[in-house]
C-alpha cells in the first residue's frame, strides 16, 4: 500500500493549472476526482460530470480531466473562466497511425460549444476525443459538445458531433476510437513505400530584403538535402520576415496553422531552413508534438550516413556532440538524482549535469584522437613533398560533380551519386602525363552555404591538406541557376581557410544539362541524344567555336583559366588535362629558374 506522503505527491503531480485562490477543501475535491475511474466505452459518467460542473461553477474557472483508454484520470486541469491550458504530455504515440490514447473532458462556464482553441488542441495533441460540458445555474450538466479526429479528409481535421443532452450519452466510443486508428493505419498502407516514412513539411523563414540568394533557391537546396537524407517532402512553407519570433520563429498562430496543415497531410517531421536555438526547438516541438529538426541537424545526419573512414566518423561525431551540448535540456525536477560515493552527498548532480559532463569528456577524447590522426596526415604530406610530386586539390560546392570528375580523369571508381555530400572522405589518386610526369589529385568534401560552425571547424583539419596544393581546381555546377552564389560561397570558405592565394582553375561542369549547349551542339552537327562516351574519349564533344559561344553567353572570361566540361560525358577533359599540365609544370619551371 502507498504511504501517505507518496500518495499526496502522486495526486499533486496529477493536478495542475491555475490553482491560485482555491481553498484547501476545493483542492481536496479536485484530488478525489483524480482517483476516479470511468467506464472505457463512455465519454464520461453522469456522477463525475456533475461533480466537475458544481466545482467549476463554485470556483468560477474551467476544470478539465484527461482520461486514458482504461478509464483512469491521468490529469486534472484548472484554467481560467474562458480557457484551459493543457500541460506538456509525454509522447505516448508509437507512430503517426496512433492517437494519443487520451480524451479531454472540460467545463464551459458560459454555455458555449467547442471553440477553435478546443479543436486546435484536439488536432495538435492528437487526442482521442474532446468534450465540453455546459451547466445550468445550479451546476447541473445540461449539454455535451464533442469532436474527434477525422482520418478520412484532408479538408477537415476533426468531426464535430451533434449536441447531446444528459441521458443521451451513448456507449461504444472505445470501438469508435479504434476504428479511427484503423483508418489512419490504412491511409499509410496505401502510400507508396518511398512516401510512408520520414514524411516532412519544410519551413523557410527569410529576411524581406534578402541580399543573398532567393528564398526559392534556398528551399530547393533544402529539398535536395532531404532527398539525400531519404526524407520525403510532402509540402513547403516560405515566409519573408525580418524579425524572427524569439520563441517560435514564426509566431504561435502561424506555427499552429502550419502544424495543422502538416497533420492533415500525415507529416511526422518539421524541417526548418535555419538553425534553431535550443529554446526555439523545444517550444516548437512542445506545440507541434511532432519531431522538429533544423538545417544543421539534417546536414549532420547526412554526414553521419556518408562518413566511411575513421577520420570522417570521428569528425562527424565531434560535430554532433558539439551541437548536442548546448541542447541538453531538463524537462522537470524528476530527472534529479543523487550520485553515490564520497563527494556525491548533498544535492548531487542532475541527469542534465551528468549528461553534459559525459559529452564534454567524449569531446575531449575525440579531439585528442583527431590530433593524432592529423599528425599521421602530416607525415603522409611530408612523404609526398619528399617525392616532389605536384598536388592538385579539387574543391567546389556539394554535388558539383567533383567525384565524377576525379573518376573521369583517373579512370577510378570513387563513389559518385547525384546527392549532396555523397562523399565526405578525401580521396587521392595519381595522374600520369607524357614524359613520365605525374601529379597527385585529391578530392575533398563539398562546401555549402552557411555550413554549420560545428562541421566547419571539424573538417578544417581535413581541408588543411589543401594548403599543400600547388593548384586548386574549383568545380562549378554551371547548370544550377544558383551557381554564381555557390561560387561565392566556396571562395568565401577558401578565404576563411587562408587558401585564396593558391592558383586556381575554374571548371564549369555539367554543360550537357544546359539547353543553350544542346542547341550549339546541334548546330555543329552533333546528335540531340547525348550518350555517355568511353572513358578514353576525353576530347569528345562540340568544338571550340561552340564552347566560345557558350562562355560568352554565360559571361565567363574566355582568357582566364576556365574550362567547360561534362565530367559524366567526358567532354572537355582533354582541354582540362592540357591546362593542368601546363599550369603545374609552368610553375615548376619558374621555380627552378628562380633557384638558378
Amino acid at each position: 500500500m502507498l504511504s501517505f506522503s507518496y500518495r499526496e505527491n502522486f495526486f499533486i503531480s496529477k493536478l495542475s493549472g491555475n490553482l491560485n485562490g482555491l481553498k484547501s477543501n476545493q483542492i481536496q475535491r479536485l484530488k478525489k476526482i483524480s482517483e476516479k475511474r470511468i467506464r472505457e466505452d463512455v465519454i464520461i459518467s453522469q456522477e463525475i460530470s456533475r461533480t466537475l460542473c458544481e466545482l467549476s461553477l463554485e470556483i468560477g474557472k474551467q476544470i478539465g480531466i484527461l482520461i486514458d483508454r482504461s478509464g483512469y484520470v491521468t490529469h486534472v486541469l484548472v484554467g481560467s473562466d474562458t480557457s484551459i491550458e493543457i500541460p506538456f504530455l509525454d509522447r505516448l504515440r508509437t507512430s503517426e497511425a496512433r492517437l494519443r490514447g487520451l480524451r479531454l473532458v472540460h467545463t464551459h462556464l458560459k454555455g458555449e460549444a467547442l471553440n477553435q482553441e478546443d479543436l486546435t488542441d484536439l488536432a495538435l495533441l492528437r487526442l482521442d476525443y474532446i468534450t465540453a460540458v455546459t451547466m445550468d445555474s445550479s451546476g447541473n450538466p445540461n449539454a455535451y459538445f464533442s469532436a474527434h479526429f477525422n482520418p478520412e479528409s484532408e479538408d477537415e481535421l476533426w468531426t464535430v458531433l451533434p449536441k447531446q443532452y444528459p441521458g443521451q450519452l451513448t456507449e461504444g466510443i472505445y470501438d469508435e476510437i479504434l476504428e479511427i486508428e484503423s483508418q489512419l493505419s490504412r491511409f499509410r498502407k496505401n502510400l507508396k513505400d518511398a512516401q510512408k516514412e520520414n514524411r516532412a513539411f519544410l519551413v523557410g523563414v527569410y529576411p524581406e530584403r534578402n541580399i543573398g540568394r532567393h528564398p526559392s533557391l534556398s528551399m530547393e537546396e533544402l529539398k535536395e538535402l532531404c532527398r539525400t537524407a531519404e526524407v520525403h517532402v510532402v509540402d513547403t512553407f516560405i515566409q519573408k520576415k525580418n524579425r524572427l519570433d524569439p520563441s517560435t520563429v514564426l509566431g504561435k498562430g502561424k506555427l499552429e496553422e502550419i502544424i495543422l496543415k502538416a497533420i492533415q497531410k500525415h507529416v511526422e517531421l518539421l524541417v526548418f531552413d535555419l538553425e534553431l536555438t535550443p529554446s526555439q526547438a523545444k517550444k516548437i516541438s512542445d506545440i507541434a508534438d511532432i519531431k522538429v529538426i533544423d538545417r544543421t541537424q539534417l546536414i549532420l545526419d547526412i554526414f553521419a550516413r556518408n562518413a566511411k573512414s575513421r577520420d570522417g566518423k570521428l569528425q562527424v561525431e565531434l560535430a554532433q556532440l558539439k551541437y548536442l551540448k548546448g541542447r541538453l535540456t531538463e524537462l522537470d525536477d524528476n530527472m534529479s538524482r543523487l550520485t553515490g560515493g564520497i563527494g556525491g552527498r548533498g544535492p548531487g548532480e542532475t541527469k542534465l549535469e551528468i549528461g553534459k559532463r559525459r559529452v564534454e569528456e567524449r569531446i575531449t577524447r575525440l579531439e585528442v584522437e583527431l590530433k593524432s590522426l592529423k599528425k599521421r596526415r602530416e607525415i603522409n604530406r611530408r612523404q609526398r613533398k619528399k617525392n616532389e610530386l605536384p598536388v592538385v586539390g579539387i574543391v567546389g560546392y556539394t554535388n558539383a560533380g567533383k567525384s565524377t570528375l576525379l573518376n573521369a580523369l583517373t579512370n577510378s571508381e570513387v563513389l559518385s551519386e547525384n546527392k549532396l555530400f555523397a562523399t565526405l572522405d578525401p580521396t587521392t589518386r595519381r595522374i600520369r602525363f607524357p614524359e613520365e610526369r605525374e601529379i597527385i589529385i585529391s578530392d575533398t568534401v563539398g562546401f555549402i552555404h552557411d555550413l554549420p560552425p560545428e562541421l566547419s571547424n571539424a573538417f578544417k583539419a581535413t581541408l588543411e591538406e589543401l594548403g599543400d596544393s600547388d593548384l586548386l581546381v574549383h568545380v562549378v555546377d554551371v547548370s544550377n541557376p544558383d551557381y554564381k552564389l555557390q561560387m561565392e560561397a566556396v571562395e568565401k570558405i577558401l578565404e576563411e581557410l587562408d587558401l585564396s592565394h593558391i592558383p586556381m582553375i575554374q571548371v564549369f561542369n555539367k554543360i550537357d544539362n544546359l539547353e543553350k549547349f544542346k542547341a550549339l551542339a546541334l548546330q555543329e552537327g552533333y546528335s540531340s541524344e547525348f550518350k555517355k562516351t568511353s572513358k578514353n574519349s576525353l576530347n569528345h564533344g562540340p568544338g571550340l567555336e561552340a564552347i566560345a559561344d557558350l562562355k560568352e553567353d554565360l559571361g565567363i572570361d574566355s582568357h582566364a583559366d576556365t574550362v567547360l566540361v561534362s565530367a559524366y560525358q567526358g567532354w572537355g577533359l582533354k582541354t582540362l588535362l592540357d591546362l593542368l599540365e601546363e599550369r603545374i609544370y609552368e610553375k615548376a619551371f619558374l621555380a627552378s629558374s628562380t633557384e638558378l
Side-chain angles (χ1 to χ4, degrees):
M1 187 168 178
L2 295 174
S3 67
F4 175 76
S5 61
Y6 185 85
R7 286 175 62 87
E8 281 292 305
N9 290 333
F10 177 72
F11 291 125
I12 288 173
S13 68
K14 295 172 71 174
L15 177 60
S16 62
N18 184 13
L19 305 179
N20 293 333
L22 296 187
K23 299 175 182 178
S24 59
N25 73 315
Q26 293 169 339
I27 291 177
Q28 290 299 323
R29 287 155 66 191
L30 287 169
K31 289 179 185 177
K32 285 184 179 180
I33 294 174
S34 67
E35 300 176 8
K36 302 291 184 180
R37 184 178 180 185
I38 301 157
R39 283 176 52 191
E40 60 185 25
D41 60 343
V42 296
I43 295 174
I44 192 169
S45 67
Q46 289 286 351
E47 178 193 353
I48 297 179
S49 178
R50 190 180 303 110
T51 302
L52 285 176
C53 290
E54 289 174 352
L55 188 52
S56 181
L57 186 64
E58 182 181 326
I59 66 176
K61 299 175 181 179
Q62 290 188 10
I63 299 176
I65 54 173
L66 286 167
I67 309 162
D68 66 20
R69 291 185 189 172
S70 299
Y72 290 103
V73 176
T74 63
H75 296 76
V76 178
L77 316 171
V78 180
S80 66
D81 61 335
T82 57
S83 65
I84 198 164
E85 185 174 345
I86 301 173
F88 175 81
L89 302 173
D90 292 334
R91 288 168 174 76
L92 302 178
R93 290 181 290 112
T94 57
S95 72
E96 285 303 306
R98 292 285 304 276
L99 299 175
R100 183 173 289 279
L102 296 172
R103 62 184 183 272
L104 172 65
V105 179
H106 66 297
T107 58
H108 274 187
L109 293 168
K110 301 179 181 180
E112 70 274 26
L114 290 170
N115 55 35
Q116 187 62 38
E117 184 179 353
D118 292 328
L119 296 172
T120 300
D121 286 340
L122 169 69
L124 292 182
L125 299 175
R126 296 179 74 91
L127 298 172
D128 292 353
Y129 245 80
I130 189 166
T131 299
V133 187
T134 60
M135 65 203 76
D136 60 23
S137 57
S138 301
N140 294 312
N142 61 7
Y144 297 87
F145 300 90
S146 298
H148 61 68
F149 199 78
N150 181 9
E152 295 184 332
S153 171
E154 288 191 359
D155 298 326
E156 288 293 339
L157 270 174
W158 44 72
T159 297
V160 179
L161 302 175
K163 179 170 68 171
Q164 292 179 299
Y165 296 98
Q168 291 183 331
L169 292 178
T170 57
E171 299 179 354
I173 68 161
Y174 183 78
D175 292 334
E176 189 177 358
I177 292 166
L178 294 182
E179 177 57 28
I180 292 171
E181 285 200 335
S182 177
Q183 291 175 24
L184 286 169
S185 181
R186 282 198 296 271
F187 172 84
R188 293 187 69 83
K189 286 180 180 178
N190 292 334
L191 293 172
K192 295 178 181 178
D193 289 341
Q195 298 175 349
K196 284 183 180 179
E197 304 299 328
N198 298 325
R199 294 171 60 81
F201 194 113
L202 310 189
V203 181
V205 186
Y206 309 100
E208 289 182 351
R209 297 179 181 179
N210 191 6
I211 301 174
R213 54 185 179 164
H214 195 272
S216 61
L217 294 175
S218 183
M219 184 58 73
E220 284 301 314
E221 184 172 271
L222 186 64
K223 286 181 182 179
E224 279 298 300
L225 287 168
C226 287
R227 185 176 69 85
T228 303
E230 298 179 1
V231 171
H232 176 68
V233 177
V234 176
D235 204 350
T236 61
F237 172 83
I238 292 177
Q239 184 184 57
K240 292 184 178 180
K241 188 174 184 177
N242 274 335
R243 293 190 64 183
L244 301 184
D245 186 278
S247 61
T248 61
V249 179
L250 295 157
K252 188 175 179 181
K254 180 59 70 175
L255 179 63
E256 286 183 350
E257 181 184 320
I258 290 172
I259 296 166
L260 289 175
K261 192 174 180 182
I263 292 172
Q264 284 177 331
K265 296 178 180 292
H266 299 266
V267 162
E268 59 194 44
L269 189 64
L270 279 183
V271 184
F272 282 78
D273 192 20
L274 75 165
E275 184 168 330
L276 299 172
T277 65
S279 60
Q280 286 172 341
K282 185 178 184 304
K283 182 69 174 178
I284 295 169
S285 182
D286 288 350
I287 294 173
D289 194 42
I290 57 178
K291 189 173 182 181
V292 177
I293 66 171
D294 57 19
R295 184 173 180 271
T296 301
Q297 283 175 283
L298 190 61
I299 294 174
L300 284 169
D301 182 76
I302 294 169
F303 272 55
R305 285 166 174 255
N306 295 341
K308 298 294 187 290
S309 70
R310 176 158 182 76
D311 201 340
K313 289 178 180 178
L314 291 177
Q315 287 168 337
V316 171
E317 185 183 354
L318 180 62
Q320 287 176 320
L321 288 174
K322 286 185 175 180
Y323 179 84
L324 174 67
K325 182 180 173 183
R327 287 164 170 77
L328 288 173
T329 56
E330 190 170 26
L331 296 180
D332 53 46
D333 294 333
N334 293 329
M335 292 182 69
S336 299
R337 68 176 178 87
L338 298 180
T339 55
I342 296 173
R345 296 184 178 88
E349 291 180 296
T350 64
K351 282 188 178 179
L352 174 64
E353 290 166 341
I354 294 170
K356 281 186 176 180
R357 179 163 50 81
R358 287 176 179 167
V359 166
E360 288 171 354
E361 289 171 356
R362 180 62 179 163
I363 287 173
T364 302
R365 288 198 299 271
L366 287 173
E367 288 176 339
V368 170
E369 193 164 353
L370 284 169
K371 283 181 182 178
S372 173
L373 292 171
K374 180 181 176 181
K375 289 180 181 178
R376 193 178 305 168
R377 287 196 302 271
E378 289 174 352
I379 293 172
N380 292 336
R381 289 204 299 269
R382 283 199 296 269
Q383 185 64 36
R384 286 201 293 268
K385 283 184 178 180
K386 186 177 179 182
N387 295 333
E388 297 183 347
L389 288 176
V391 177
V392 174
I394 301 178
V395 297
Y397 209 79
T398 179
N399 203 30
K402 298 183 298 300
S403 297
T404 305
L405 181 65
L406 180 69
N407 286 338
L409 291 175
T410 63
N411 205 14
S412 304
E413 294 184 356
V414 175
L415 175 68
S416 60
E417 294 182 284
N418 185 26
K419 293 181 178 180
L420 305 187
F421 302 113
T423 52
L424 296 180
D425 304 311
T427 306
T428 301
R429 296 290 185 271
R430 291 192 182 203
I431 296 180
R432 183 181 292 273
F433 293 109
E435 301 181 16
E436 299 299 320
R437 292 175 171 177
E438 281 187 336
I439 64 169
I440 299 291
I441 188 163
S442 179
D443 185 17
T444 58
V445 63
F447 300 156
I448 196 169
H449 274 285
D450 303 321
L451 185 68
E454 294 85 3
L455 283 174
S456 179
N457 294 330
F459 279 87
K460 272 183 181 178
T462 303
L463 296 173
E464 278 175 3
E465 295 200 20
L466 291 173
D468 295 326
S469 299
D470 299 282
L471 182 69
L472 294 180
V473 174
H474 181 182
V475 182
V476 181
D477 177 6
V478 75
S479 67
N480 191 310
D482 201 18
Y483 80 91
K484 289 185 179 178
L485 290 174
Q486 290 182 351
M487 290 175 66
E488 292 175 6
V490 172
E491 289 165 3
K492 181 181 177 182
I493 293 173
L494 291 175
E495 282 184 17
E496 291 173 356
L497 295 170
D498 197 22
L499 299 173
S500 55
H501 65 282
I502 300 175
M504 181 187 296
I505 293 175
Q506 291 180 332
V507 177
F508 293 89
N509 190 25
K510 302 186 183 182
I511 58 171
D512 50 314
N513 291 338
L514 297 174
E515 293 300 322
K516 178 73 174 178
F517 172 81
K518 294 177 182 179
L520 291 170
L522 288 172
Q523 288 176 15
E524 295 203 358
Y526 285 90
S527 169
S528 60
E529 294 183 2
F530 296 106
K531 296 180 180 179
K532 187 175 181 180
T533 62
S534 65
K535 292 181 180 178
N536 295 324
S537 303
L538 298 181
N539 58 350
H540 182 75
L544 295 176
E545 185 178 343
I547 293 297
D549 288 344
L550 190 59
K551 279 189 175 183
E552 184 178 352
D553 185 67
L554 294 170
I556 298 171
D557 186 358
S558 58
H559 299 290
D561 284 342
T562 57
V563 185
L564 269 60
V565 306
S566 168
Y568 181 72
Q569 301 289 0
W571 297 333
L573 299 187
K574 178 68 165 60
T575 305
L576 174 58
L577 283 170
D578 290 343
L579 184 59
L580 280 175
E581 185 178 15
E582 179 184 336
R583 291 294 174 264
I584 286 290
Y585 289 102
E586 178 186 78
K587 181 180 177 181
F589 175 76
L590 290 174
S592 60
S593 301
T594 304
E595 289 176 5
L596 292 173

